[in-house]
Amino acid sequence: GDQVEQSPSALSLHEGTGSALRCNFTTTMRAVQWFRKNSRGSLINLFYLASGTKENGRLKSAFDSKERYSTLHIRDAQLEDSGTYFCAAVASSGSWQLIFGSGTQLTVMP
Amino acid sequence: GPKVLQIPSHQIIDMGQMVTLNCDPVSNHLYFYWYKQILGQQMEFLVNFYNGKVMEKSKLFKDQFSVERPDGSYFTLKIQPTALEDSAVYFCASSLASIQDTQYFGPGTRLLVL
């Protein structure tokens, strides 16, 4: 089965509200990256975490390798936050590859 | 932020032909990657490359695939010969260090094999 399970698959928010995206891992991961895919299909880097939490503006991410999950919190959502968000994790088995989640399609409404 | 460029953005070829996808990684990066995304499916790892060698490849990296970066120029993915199932978007990525560093992705090359 999939090693990275991302939820929800779709999320609608009103401007000014917030929510959280989550990725659960079926195995221990070494690190996680979060991306947003823009309208042109490019992957924009949001966070890289090997542990703990990071915050950047209205976004905050956490990664717990032992508990096998990562979260991305969005607060005070704006229209321009709309897009598809992906988590991708690096397995701890010595692999080099990023294992991607299936994405969360976020729509921010006025 | 750091930019990875990919050329061409789109490519249409006939089955059996050879195709080369080009990636211009971030200038001081040392590790290079290719990922493949079939329409409607998740992005999947193909291969990573460091110091002139393939370090890891997935089962998707068929014998018809090869990668190289001659003399620090483009990092390329060559498919010879192409098959219908090679139709996908191919993303290049690079990182400064190894698995303990952020991978930066290009915008992708959309390959259609007819």
Side-chain angles (χ1 to χ4, degrees):
Chain A
D2 289 350
Q3 297 183 61
V4 178
E5 298 164 349
Q6 185 170 348
S7 63
S9 58
L11 178 65
S12 292
L13 294 176
H14 285 286
E15 268 187 300
T17 64
S19 190
L21 315 181
R22 185 178 178 102
C23 283
N24 291 324
F25 312 121
T26 57
T27 186
T28 302
M29 299 296 184
R30 184 191 300 268
V32 68
Q33 279 190 245
W34 283 92
F35 302 89
R36 181 174 65 86
K37 186 172 266 197
N38 67 14
S39 57
R40 287 173 292 178
S42 295
L43 284 175
I44 310 299
N45 275 298
L46 298 176
F47 294 103
Y48 173 93
L49 296 99
S51 65
T53 62
K54 284 188 180 178
E55 193 164 355
N56 184 4
R58 296 177 290 100
L59 298 178
K60 181 177 180 179
S61 184
F63 172 52
D64 190 326
S65 177
K66 185 179 174 186
E67 297 300 322
R68 301 185 180 179
Y69 77 90
S70 178
T71 55
L72 178 69
H73 291 260
I74 302 173
R75 63 175 174 84
D76 187 24
Q78 303 297 305
L79 297 177
E80 60 264 28
D81 295 332
S82 294
T84 305
Y85 290 75
F86 293 92
C87 69
V90 182
S92 290
S93 59
S95 171
W96 302 76
Q97 61 181 284
L98 284 174
I99 305 167
F100 278 78
S102 54
T104 296
Q105 188 161 355
L106 173 66
T107 304
V108 181
M109 302 172 293
Chain B
K3 291 264 192 272
V4 176
L5 304 176
Q6 289 188 241
I7 301 161
S9 59
H10 297 77
Q11 180 91 52
I12 301 174
I13 59 169
D14 291 323
M15 183 177 65
Q17 283 190 311
M18 181 194 77
V19 68
T20 300
L21 308 183
N22 298 293
C23 172
D24 187 10
V26 179
S27 61
N28 59 340
H29 283 189
L30 301 175
Y31 294 80
F32 313 110
Y33 312 80
W34 284 103
Y35 291 78
K36 175 182 179 181
Q37 186 171 29
I38 295 172
L39 186 64
Q41 298 184 22
Q42 280 159 247
M43 182 107 77
E44 291 190 273
F45 170 83
L46 283 176
V47 65
N48 104 297
F49 189 82
Y50 167 72
N51 197 25
K53 289 180 281 197
V54 169
M55 303 301 290
E56 183 188 11
K57 57 186 180 181
S58 73
K59 62 182 184 301
L60 297 179
F61 193 78
K62 305 180 297 184
D63 291 343
Q64 296 89 334
F65 288 25
S66 62
V67 290
E68 63 175 354
R69 193 185 187 212
D71 299 325
S73 60
Y74 287 145
F75 174 52
T76 61
L77 173 65
K78 184 186 294 185
I79 309 174
Q80 181 178 25
T82 51
L84 296 177
E85 61 266 26
D86 296 331
S87 294
V89 182
Y90 290 84
F91 291 90
C92 171
S94 70
S95 64
L96 178 60
S98 64
I99 54 175
Q100 295 169 355
D101 201 7
T102 304
Q103 292 184 29
Y104 292 87
F105 281 75
T109 293
R110 283 145 184 82
L111 176 66
L112 178 59
V113 181
L114 301 175

